[in-house]
Amino acid sequence: MSETTITPTEIAQHYKAAMDSVNLINAGKPELMTAEDWADCLARNKEHLKIMLAKDYWTTENMTPLADASE
């Protein structure tokens, strides 16, 4: 399925997944996670957000939290 034929339901699912990354980043390092694991987790989630920000199917979603957390 090309991104130009993505459904509103799929867009909502992608946005929710991106916001899961935002919330994880904003929550900070879990107490029991090592610094190395946290650095890896941050890198993966920030990369996910950068990929999502580059998609062309967004409509009226607020992309500010994604952009802020991806920095």
Side-chain angles (χ1 to χ4, degrees), residues 11-20 58 61-63 65-66:
I11 292 171
Q13 290 169 338
H14 287 301
Y15 188 74
K16 181 188 177 309
M19 285 305 298
D20 287 345
W58 301 116
E61 295 79 16
N62 180 1
M63 303 310 281
L66 281 67

Side-chain angles (χ1 to χ4, degrees), residues 2-69:
S2 79
E3 288 182 6
T4 56
T5 60
I6 192 166
T7 68
T9 299
E10 291 168 323
I11 292 171
Q13 290 169 338
H14 287 301
Y15 188 74
K16 181 188 177 309
M19 285 305 298
D20 287 345
S21 286
V22 168
N23 292 331
L24 184 144
I25 291 166
N26 289 341
K29 183 179 97 51
E31 185 177 327
L32 298 177
M33 185 178 277
T34 67
E36 182 179 358
D37 286 346
W38 177 239
D40 290 342
C41 181
L42 275 178
R44 284 191 312 274
N45 281 278
K46 287 182 178 196
E47 183 62 25
H48 172 235
L49 292 175
K50 289 174 186 174
I51 291 167
M52 297 311 291
L53 285 164
K55 300 295 182 183
D56 65 359
Y57 49 67
W58 301 116
T59 57
T60 60
E61 295 79 16
N62 180 1
M63 303 310 281
T64 301
L66 281 67
D68 289 348

